[in-house]
């Protein structure tokens, strides 16, 4: 009988809603406040989105069962350009987008027509995503839902932004930003196709004089100007003559376009062909010396200025291009100029002679300027010179300076003397805005920036990160790295939905700045939704009082026209739920949102309200590859729920990877999980809560193993190692259960339903955060009256963990394994099996050695000496071999097992095996099994095997 997932899931979802199980208000219990980054409603969610929210939901459900009062809310991020960009594409009738909306996401045609209005897009997908989240069974308190364009939210953002400005953390200045020339807006990761953060490189433009013109070339190594011997120009490029502020420049068309955004006034004066420049000379301004312009095909118009300065002693590309040109047919006049060029060596580096570029080209066996090996050669020379090189005598006043330090000094000197300028270029080109336009770097003048470069601010954030629990631990260094490089960041946009800057209404607070402290807003949004709080009359005093405990209720009451009691109730709600106990997000938000979240919290809230934990997860792959529209492998979440059920999807996502790994989702794992759950479900139907009779050895063992599972699963979830936890519940425990069933069958027992009922109730309870719907159904079938999602998390009890039961059962298992192995190796058909257990003296010595090893003593000599010194164990001198082997036995086992062995009492191995092995062994090997202690007087020991017996390692004779 197959499970009808949809039916079961609908049934339990309605019950949760009916019972208001996930609506959370302050009470006397301890709280946990779990949040996830709210979604942008610009498309429906796919399986990949489901991961972060599912992980957070498991976390919330786990804490709820542990007795915490858990707040798990959700909202929708309308602010920002993604939605705006989409509206523009709909307006432009973008075929690809409209096809996706229609065919992939099933958006009705009438709705698509309305999508030219951004808020219509947001509203549509808001509902779509919310429905999907409900269908996934997320235990969200929907009474607190909001969008970031709600009027009260805008008041809240105004308050936040004003505080930052008062604290001088929002500043006005000129800084470079990624920029969409079409939208006339700064762009960051969320605004670009493929979610790339625009990153830029600063080049130094070295100015060379050519008649009345300046020919600039871009370099990252300004120190090499002392070694310039010629310029490279591409004869095929048509260059632009432009006026830059008050100078006349010649640059490629692309370069002229980039300069327009860099705070320079550009006018276009005319054109000149590259070929016209070949053979002409330019002056190196700082040393009034002429050098020639030579043709080179490797020069690209899109990089730098479209012209390159040539430093053949230190740049392998330049050296090789010069070698190449010497081999070509040139006009006599040019050929004579070329023949006179000799590289100028300006850097002394250990391991290199006069011409490092030449040495590297020869070492790598470069053939011509198109040889890819040139890249490696360049990397090597640059690296060695940067870290180990010193400038030579011919660099005049810079002589003797290390290259690593010279760079900035020479750059400043050049710019001061107007021999150079700056060119900013996107590093990871092309970066496309979501509107389709290619992004550039723009220097924004007199604009509003969050001063993330501020040293004190960074220090507070670092302190917060240090105190925080960051899961997984290994991601912590990434946050430190981000804090290190972070600098000023534009916090306003000219277009898009959102809150206006309170002091400059032409600007809108951008989406990564209005989404950093909104978790606090969840504590008041309940009162907004029930109309207790309205935007009218909301003031700074209100927010100051609620969130910062400043001012007094009567004053706030007067201003807001709310009663002082209501205001205090709202404040209590905040004080109860804050700080955030856990913030969940995908790894792509580490360098922006998650870091800004911490920075803004430390700037605005007192330390007692700083966030406590961040949980970061990797992304989801589909059959091993990245999910993308172009790959056509996106599965919308709601469609997947329809096809497979929410629980199988939740389980398949979690079981496929630990936190930071990318989860590989595939349909085989979904159906594998479905089968697994189905068999557990059918078992739950069969089991009855019968009275448990007196316990036998295997019962004590399986109940103890259940306790170990509880302890392991709990510890794993606390560290958000959900894959491991789920694996323990569903799979690892299964092998214990099947051993138990084998034992029970060997004894023909029928009175075990009560025990299995107890064990499976524990499993189902622990499964419930992961697969909440089916767990409720199983729980009901197990005849529990209340809901599993509001039941108590199984508590680990040391009392019910019987170390001796575990050890004796392990002895039984390993004895059977040993016999099977011997039979397999020797291929004997046994007539008779005899087992010899160690005597009580060895057992005493064993425990004594175990105690010593556990405290760290593993030295054979010392252990032996101590044993001999004790009268109880002094006889070991007769069996030194035994001591050595026992130390080895113990060391080969994991620490936990050593601990359980220490906890377990000494038990009589012989009588245990006589009772438990004889029946089971007969079934297993179809032959009589006899058990002796090595000191038995009536022992049968024809081969003298008995003396080899050690505790937990009986000797075996097979005949
Ligand atoms: Zn754009």
């Amino acid at each position: 009988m197959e499970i009808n997932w949809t039916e079961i899931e609908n049934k339990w979802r309605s019950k949760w809603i009916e019972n208001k199980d996930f609506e959370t208000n302050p009470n006397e219990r301890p709280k946990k406040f779990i949040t996830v980054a709210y979604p942008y409603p610009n498309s429906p969610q796919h399986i990949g989105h489901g991961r972060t929210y599912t992980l957070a939901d498991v976390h919330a459900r786990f804490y709820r069962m542990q007795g915490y009062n858990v707040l798990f809310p959700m909202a929708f991020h309308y602010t920002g350009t993604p939605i705006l960009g989409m509206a523009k594409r709909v307006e432009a009738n973008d075929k690809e987008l409209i096809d996706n909306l229609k065919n992939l996401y099933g958006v009705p045609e009438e709705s698509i027509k309305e999508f030219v209005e951004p808020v219509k897009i947001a509203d549509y997908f808001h509902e779509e995503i919310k429905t999907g989240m409900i269908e996934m069974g997320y235990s969200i308190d929907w009474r607190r839902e909001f969008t970031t364009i709600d009027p009260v939210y805008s008041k809240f953002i105004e308050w936040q932004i004003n505080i930052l400005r008062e604290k001088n953390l929002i500043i006005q200045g000129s800084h470079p930003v990624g920029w969409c020339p079409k939208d006339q807006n700064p762009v960051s990761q969320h605004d670009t196709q493929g979610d790339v953060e625009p990153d830029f490189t600063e080049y130094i433009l070295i100015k060379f004089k050519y008649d009345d013109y300046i020919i600039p070339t871009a370099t990252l190594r300004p120190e090499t100007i002392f070694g310039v011997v010629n310029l490279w120009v591409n004869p095929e490029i048509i260059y632009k003559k432009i006026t830059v502020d008050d100078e006349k420049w010649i640059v490629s068309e692309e370069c002229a376009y980039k300069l327009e955004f860099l705070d320079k006034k550009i006018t276009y004066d005319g054109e000149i062909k590259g070929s016209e420049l070949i053979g002409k000379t330019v002056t190196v301004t700082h040393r009034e010396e002429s050098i020639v312009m030579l043709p080179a095909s490797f020069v690209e118009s899109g990089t730098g200025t479209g012209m390159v300065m040539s430093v053949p002693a230190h740049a392998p590309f330049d050296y090789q291009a010069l070698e190449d040109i010497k081999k070509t047919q040139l006009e006599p006049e040019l050929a004579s100029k070329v023949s006179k060029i000799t590289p100028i060596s300006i850097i002394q580096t250990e391991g290199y002679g006069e011409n490092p570029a030449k040495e590297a080209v020869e070492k790598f066996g470069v053939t011509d300027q198109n040889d890819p090996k040139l890249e490696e050669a360049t990397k090597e020379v640059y690296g060695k010179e940067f870290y180990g090189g010193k400038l030579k005598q011919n660099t005049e006043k810079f002589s003797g300076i290390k290259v690593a330090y010279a760079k900035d000094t020479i750059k400043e000197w050049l710019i001061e003397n107007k021999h150079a300028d700056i060119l900013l270029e996107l590093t990871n080109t092309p970066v496309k805005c979501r509107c389709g336009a290619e992004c550039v770097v723009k220097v924004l003048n007199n604009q509003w920036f969050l001063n993330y470069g501020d040293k004190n601010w960074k220090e507070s954030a670092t302190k917060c990160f240090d105190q925080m629990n960051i899961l997984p631990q290994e991601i912590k260094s990434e946050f430190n790295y981000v804090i290190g490089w972070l600098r000023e960041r534009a916090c306003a946009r000219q277009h898009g939905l959102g809150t206006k800057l309170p002091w400059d209404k032409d600007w809108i607070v951008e989406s990564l700045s209005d989404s950093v402290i909104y978790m606090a807003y969840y504590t008041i949004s309940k009162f907004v939704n029930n109309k207790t709080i309205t935007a009218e009359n909301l003031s700074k005093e209100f927010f100051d009082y609620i969130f910062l405990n400043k001012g007094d209720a009567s004053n706030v009451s007067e201003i807001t026209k709310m009663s002082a009691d209501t205001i205090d109730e709202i404040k209590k709600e905040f004080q109860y739920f804050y700080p955030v106990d856990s913030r969940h997000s995908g790894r792509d938000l580490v360098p922006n949102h998650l870091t800004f979240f911490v920075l803004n919290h430390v700037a605005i809230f007192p330390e007692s309200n700083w966030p406590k934990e961040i949980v970061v997860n990797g992304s989801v792959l589909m059959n091993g590859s990245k999910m993308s529209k172009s790959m056509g492998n996106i599965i919308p979440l709601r469609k997947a729920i329809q096809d497979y059920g929410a629980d199988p999807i939740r389980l398949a996502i979690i079981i496929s990877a630990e936190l930071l790994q990318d989860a590989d989702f595939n349909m085989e794992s979904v159906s594998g999980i479905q089968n697994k759950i189905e068999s557990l479900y059918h078992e739950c139907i069969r089991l009855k809560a019968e009275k448990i009779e007196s316990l036998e050895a295997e019962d004590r063992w399986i109940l103890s193993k259940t306790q170990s599972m509880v302890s392991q699963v709990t510890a794993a979830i606390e560290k958000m190692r959900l894959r491991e936890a789920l694996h323990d519940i569903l799979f690892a425990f299964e092998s214990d259960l099947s051993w138990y069933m084998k034992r029970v069958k060997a004894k023909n027992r029928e009175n075990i339903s009560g025990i299995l009922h107890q064990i499976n109730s524990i499993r189902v309870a622990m499964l419930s955060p992961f697969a909440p719907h089916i767990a409720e159904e199983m729980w009901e079938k197990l005849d529990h009256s209340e809901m599993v999602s509001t039941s108590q998390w199984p508590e680990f009890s040391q009392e019910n963990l019987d170390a001796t039961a575990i050890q004796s059962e392990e002895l039984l298992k390993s004895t059977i394994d040993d016999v099977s192995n011997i039979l397999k190796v020797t291929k004997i058909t046994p007539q008779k099996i005899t087992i010899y257990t160690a005597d009580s003296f060895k057992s005493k010595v064993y425990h004594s050695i175990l105690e010593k090893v556990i405290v760290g003593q593993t030295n054979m000599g010392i252990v032996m000496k101590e044993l001999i010194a004790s009268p109880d164990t002094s006889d070991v001198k007769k069996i030194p071999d035994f001591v050595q082997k026992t130390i080895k036995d113990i060391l080969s086992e994991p620490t936990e097992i050593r601990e359980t062995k220490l906890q377990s009492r000494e038990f009589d191995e012989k009588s245990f095996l006589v009772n438990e092995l004889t029946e089971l062994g007969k079934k297993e090997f179809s032959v009589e099994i006899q058990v002796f202690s090595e000191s038995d007087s009536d022992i049968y020991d024809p081969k003298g095997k008995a003396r080899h017996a050690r505790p937990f390692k009986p000797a075996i004779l097979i005949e």
Side-chain angles (χ1 to χ4, degrees):
M1 185 180 58
E2 270 187 24
I3 292 179
N4 184 335
W5 297 96
T6 316
E7 197 181 294
I8 288 176
E9 290 176 358
N10 283 337
K11 167 179 162 190
W12 292 105
R13 272 200 299 273
S14 342
K15 294 212 176 178
W16 294 329
I17 294 169
E18 200 180 299
N19 293 353
K20 303 183 191 307
D21 278 332
F22 309 126
E23 295 185 2
T24 312
N25 297 310
N27 61 22
E28 67 298 335
R29 279 186 291 142
K31 62 90 190 180
K32 289 281 181 190
F33 183 14
I34 314 279
T35 67
V36 203
Y38 49 24
Y40 277 114
N42 71 329
S43 63
Q45 299 203 299
H46 55 68
I47 298 249
H49 295 110
R51 186 174 184 199
T52 312
Y53 296 103
T54 300
L55 292 172
D57 185 55
V58 174
H59 207 187
R61 286 175 173 276
F62 169 69
Y63 277 136
R64 205 172 281 123
M65 290 177 74
Q66 282 203 319
Y68 290 99
N69 189 23
V70 175
L71 175 57
F72 180 40
M74 190 59 59
F76 294 86
H77 200 186
Y78 278 32
T79 324
T81 53
I83 291 167
L84 191 72
M86 192 162 169
K88 282 193 180 151
R89 285 172 67 193
V90 172
E91 199 174 6
N93 226 340
D94 184 317
K95 192 176 169 312
E96 190 195 334
L97 176 73
I98 289 172
D99 278 358
N100 273 333
L101 288 172
K102 248 193 267 182
N103 305 327
L104 184 58
Y105 296 135
V107 183
E109 207 131 347
E110 316 83 78
S111 300
I112 297 177
K113 275 187 201 135
E114 294 185 325
F115 281 7
V116 290
E117 215 182 309
V119 80
K120 286 273 164 50
I121 298 178
D123 285 342
Y124 180 89
F125 290 116
H126 173 167
E127 279 315 306
E128 179 77 14
I129 293 170
K130 181 179 173 183
T131 313
M133 285 178 166
I134 293 172
E135 287 169 351
M136 278 294 271
Y138 297 151
S139 54
I140 291 167
D141 182 353
W142 287 108
R143 294 172 310 156
R144 296 170 191 269
E145 176 188 0
F146 61 87
T147 85
T148 58
I149 58 167
D150 294 350
V152 177
Y153 189 79
S154 282
K155 292 270 184 179
F156 170 72
I157 296 302
E158 282 179 16
W159 171 77
Q160 171 205 335
I161 293 292
N162 275 324
I163 290 187
L164 293 174
R165 195 180 175 206
E166 278 160 25
K167 297 194 170 182
N168 223 10
L169 297 175
I170 290 186
I171 50 166
Q172 206 171 17
S174 303
H175 297 279
V177 297
W179 182 260
C180 171
K182 193 167 152 201
D183 296 333
Q184 297 281 306
N185 245 353
V187 284
S188 59
Q189 191 185 29
H190 282 155
D191 311 310
T192 60
Q193 293 181 14
D195 288 330
V196 283
E197 178 73 32
D199 187 14
F200 34 86
T201 307
E202 185 192 84
Y203 289 98
I204 316 300
L205 291 186
I206 309 288
K207 296 174 177 177
F208 296 90
K209 257 195 233 147
Y210 169 68
D211 295 339
D212 290 343
Y213 284 91
I214 290 196
I215 291 188
T217 66
T219 180
L220 293 168
R221 302 182 77 195
E223 70 278 7
T224 58
I225 50 150
F226 294 101
V228 176
V229 293
N230 66 286
L231 295 193
W232 299 115
V233 173
N234 189 329
E236 304 298 325
I237 295 176
I238 296 174
Y239 294 90
K240 296 281 174 196
K241 291 177 169 175
I242 57 174
T243 306
V244 179
D245 298 331
D246 52 1
E247 289 177 345
K248 290 175 182 305
W249 287 18
I250 295 175
V251 294
S252 69
E253 187 177 356
E254 290 92 328
C255 176
Y257 176 69
K258 285 174 206 157
L259 290 169
E260 287 180 35
F261 298 94
L262 298 181
D263 197 22
K264 295 189 187 307
K265 224 174 85 213
I266 310 287
T267 49
Y268 288 81
D269 308 328
E271 290 177 346
I272 182 166
K273 271 195 199 146
S275 54
E276 287 178 50
L277 296 168
I278 305 297
K280 304 271 170 52
T281 57
V282 297
T283 316
V284 185
T285 43
H286 70 97
R287 57 173 202 251
E288 291 298 325
E289 186 185 316
S290 289
I291 56 171
V292 67
M293 291 189 267
L294 297 176
S297 55
F298 73 83
V299 177
E300 291 167 10
S301 59
T303 310
T305 61
M307 304 198 229
V308 175
M309 69 181 197
S310 164
V311 188
H314 302 284
F317 269 101
D318 297 338
Y319 174 81
Q320 187 58 46
L322 216 49
E323 288 301 296
D324 290 353
I325 203 169
K326 283 176 187 165
K327 289 178 205 142
T328 55
Q329 201 67 35
L330 293 172
E331 286 172 31
E333 198 188 337
L334 192 58
S336 112
K337 281 180 183 163
V338 169
S339 70
K340 281 183 200 135
I341 295 176
T342 43
I344 304 175
S345 179
I346 58 151
I347 298 168
Q348 184 59 57
T349 309
E350 215 182 287
Y352 281 133
E354 270 299 283
N355 191 334
K358 178 174 184 237
E359 288 171 34
V361 161
E362 282 163 5
K363 177 184 158 191
F364 283 91
V366 173
T367 51
D368 61 43
Q369 61 187 294
N370 301 314
D371 191 333
K373 289 196 285 280
L374 268 172
E375 291 287 354
E376 287 167 65
T378 303
K379 233 188 195 165
E380 185 174 298
V381 174
Y382 283 18
K384 281 190 181 167
E385 292 189 335
F386 184 80
Y387 294 107
K390 257 188 200 166
L391 293 178
K392 286 186 176 175
Q393 212 78 59
N394 54 3
T395 62
E396 300 156 25
K397 61 177 176 176
F398 302 105
S399 152
I401 302 182
K402 284 187 173 169
V403 172
Y405 306 123
K407 195 179 153 173
D408 287 335
T409 323
I410 294 179
K411 170 184 140 187
E412 276 163 34
W413 168 72
L414 283 168
I415 290 174
E416 234 165 68
N417 289 291
K418 301 211 179 298
H419 296 325
D421 212 315
I422 299 289
L423 175 71
L424 291 160
E425 218 172 74
L426 283 176
T427 314
N428 42 352
T429 49
V431 177
K432 287 262 174 82
C433 176
R434 284 187 192 253
C435 75
E438 190 168 335
C439 299
V440 294
V441 187
K442 180 173 169 73
V443 171
L444 268 191
N445 269 325
N446 296 324
Q447 277 325 320
W448 299 104
F449 290 86
L450 275 157
N451 192 10
Y452 286 145
D454 186 89
K455 214 174 124 250
N456 294 330
W457 199 358
K458 288 184 179 204
E459 269 168 22
S460 303
T462 305
K463 185 178 171 198
C464 181
F465 277 120
D466 284 346
Q467 296 167 356
M468 250 179 166
N469 189 30
I470 293 178
L471 296 175
Q473 193 66 54
E474 68 235 58
I475 201 88
K476 192 169 173 190
S477 59
E478 275 183 40
F479 284 108
N480 292 335
Y481 175 72
V482 175
I483 289 285
W485 62 249
L486 212 59
R487 51 183 179 181
E488 301 83 4
R489 192 194 145 82
C491 64
R493 299 278 189 271
Q494 280 182 314
H495 306 282
L497 301 170
T499 304
K500 291 189 165 128
L501 270 191
W503 59 86
D504 189 349
K505 302 280 184 188
D506 289 342
W507 290 84
I508 292 159
V509 180
E510 65 87 42
S511 60
L512 277 163
S513 305
D514 80 349
S515 57
V516 282
I517 61 159
Y518 70 88
M519 311 78 205
Y521 190 82
Y522 281 126
T523 67
I524 69 163
S525 58
K526 188 179 93 181
F527 300 98
V528 177
N529 292 342
N530 71 15
K531 309 274 190 290
T532 306
I533 303 175
T534 55
E536 221 183 330
N537 304 323
L538 270 198
S539 65
K540 168 185 174 350
E541 289 79 5
F542 171 78
F543 294 111
D544 277 352
Y545 183 70
I546 303 291
F547 296 132
L548 301 176
N549 201 17
K550 279 187 192 163
D552 62 275
S554 61
N555 180 37
V556 175
S557 166
E558 218 166 283
I559 297 170
T560 59
K561 314 275 188 285
M562 276 185 262
S563 78
D565 283 352
T566 305
I567 291 165
D568 276 326
E569 192 194 340
I570 297 169
K571 181 168 150 187
K572 270 196 199 120
E573 184 110 6
F574 170 74
Q575 288 179 334
Y576 176 78
F577 283 117
Y578 238 61
V580 171
D581 293 288
S582 191
R583 177 76 177 156
H584 284 253
S585 171
R587 187 178 196 161
D588 53 328
L589 300 192
V590 168
N592 43 65
H593 168 72
L594 285 173
T595 306
F596 302 161
F597 156 70
V598 168
L599 278 159
N600 283 272
H601 268 83
V602 304
I604 290 170
F605 294 102
E607 202 171 320
S608 57
N609 276 331
W610 290 2
K612 298 266 179 241
E613 181 179 81
I614 281 179
V615 181
V616 178
N617 63 271
S619 61
V620 178
L621 304 176
M622 193 70 212
N623 292 315
S625 43
K626 213 180 155 187
M627 264 189 262
S628 73
K629 279 179 213 132
S630 57
M631 296 277 293
N633 62 354
I634 285 187
I635 302 181
L637 193 58
R638 293 195 60 200
K639 181 164 178 3
I641 298 171
Q642 255 169 37
D643 293 352
Y644 306 98
D647 285 346
I649 292 165
R650 291 171 65 116
L651 295 172
I653 290 173
I654 291 167
I655 202 86
S656 71
E658 280 306 352
L659 258 190
L660 211 52
Q661 297 167 328
D662 289 336
D664 190 6
F665 190 84
N666 56 66
M667 288 314 154
E668 292 87 85
S669 69
V670 178
S671 52
I673 283 280
Q674 282 178 329
N675 293 338
K676 182 83 219 162
I677 296 292
E678 260 161 35
S679 68
L680 184 58
Y681 173 65
H682 290 131
E683 174 130 12
C684 290
I685 295 176
R686 280 194 302 273
L687 295 173
K688 291 282 160 285
E690 283 163 12
K691 190 163 170 291
I692 298 173
E693 310 284 329
S694 63
L695 298 176
E696 302 208 10
E698 63 274 16
D699 302 336
R700 281 194 297 274
W701 175 77
I702 192 73
L703 290 171
S704 296
K705 290 301 266 188
T706 309
Q707 285 305 312
S708 311
M709 173 177 60
V710 168
S711 141
Q712 279 165 23
V713 168
T714 308
I717 300 182
E718 276 162 0
K719 295 195 175 85
M720 284 306 285
R721 293 216 298 259
L722 300 189
R723 194 199 77 88
E724 182 185 313
L726 190 52
H727 192 268
D728 281 348
I729 300 167
L730 286 183
F731 300 99
F733 191 67
E734 207 78 334
S735 66
D736 289 339
L737 266 182
S738 67
W739 171 258
Y740 176 70
M741 294 315 290
K742 193 184 210 172
R743 291 272 278 135
V744 162
K745 273 189 196 132
K747 293 182 170 183
N748 294 317
R749 291 178 60 191
E750 277 171 359
N751 56 344
I752 57 159
S753 181
I755 287 174
L756 289 177
H757 181 272
Q758 188 184 333
I759 291 170
N760 276 320
S761 293
I762 290 174
R763 283 175 93 193
V764 168
M766 293 198 300
L767 180 66
S768 119
F770 300 92
H773 311 87
I774 191 68
E776 293 286 6
E777 187 71 17
M778 292 172 178
W779 193 248
E780 189 185 59
K781 294 286 186 268
L782 287 166
D783 267 338
H784 296 287
S785 50
E786 84 281 34
M787 297 259 207
V788 68
S789 44
T790 50
S791 72
Q792 185 74 38
W793 182 256
E795 207 170 326
F796 168 72
S797 125
Q798 188 69 49
E799 229 166 276
N800 292 335
L801 196 148
D802 183 339
T804 310
I806 292 180
Q807 286 322 311
S808 44
E809 200 69 20
E810 292 306 323
L811 170 69
L812 180 63
K813 274 209 270 187
S814 63
T815 307
I816 287 187
D817 282 352
D818 288 349
V819 172
S820 310
N821 285 336
I822 296 171
L823 292 177
K824 213 187 279 167
V825 172
T826 56
K827 301 201 172 75
I828 305 178
T829 313
Q831 306 300 313
K832 180 177 183 176
I833 298 174
T834 315
I835 308 286
Y836 308 98
T837 62
D839 60 18
S840 62
F841 174 71
K842 280 183 178 171
S843 178
K844 194 185 297 163
V845 173
Y846 182 94
H847 267 82
S848 183
I849 295 174
L850 182 62
E851 279 167 18
K852 293 178 203 305
V853 172
I854 280 183
V855 297
Q857 186 51 267
T858 56
N859 181 298
M860 163 78 184
I862 297 173
V863 170
M864 197 66 188
K865 221 193 246 166
E866 287 178 7
L867 289 171
I868 292 171
S870 161
D872 266 5
T873 50
S874 63
D875 273 356
V876 287
K877 50 185 177 279
K878 294 177 196 153
I879 44 172
D881 205 35
F882 167 74
V883 175
Q884 189 162 22
K885 283 191 169 138
T886 300
I887 294 179
K888 233 171 131 189
D889 286 346
I890 295 172
L891 285 178
S892 72
E893 284 170 341
T895 340
E896 311 92 79
I897 293 189
R898 289 181 213 163
E899 299 282 351
T900 2
K901 279 193 174 158
L902 192 66
Q903 285 163 25
S904 75
R905 299 174 306 277
E906 286 174 35
F907 66 100
D908 184 346
E909 292 191 10
K910 179 192 162 187
S911 65
F912 177 77
L913 290 181
V914 168
N915 288 335
E916 307 297 339
L917 176 63
T918 8
E919 276 309 299
L920 184 64
K922 208 192 284 176
K923 284 220 159 92
E924 199 79 355
F925 305 115
S926 326
V927 64
E928 286 296 328
I929 297 188
Q930 260 195 309
V931 183
F932 293 100
S933 162
E934 61 172 311
S935 52
D936 282 352
S937 51
D938 60 342
I939 193 167
Y940 165 81
D941 185 16
K943 297 267 167 74
K945 289 249 180 193
R947 64 190 175 86
H948 297 299
R950 304 200 295 282
F952 300 108
K953 282 237 182 274
I956 297 165
L957 173 66
I958 298 179
E959 294 170 283

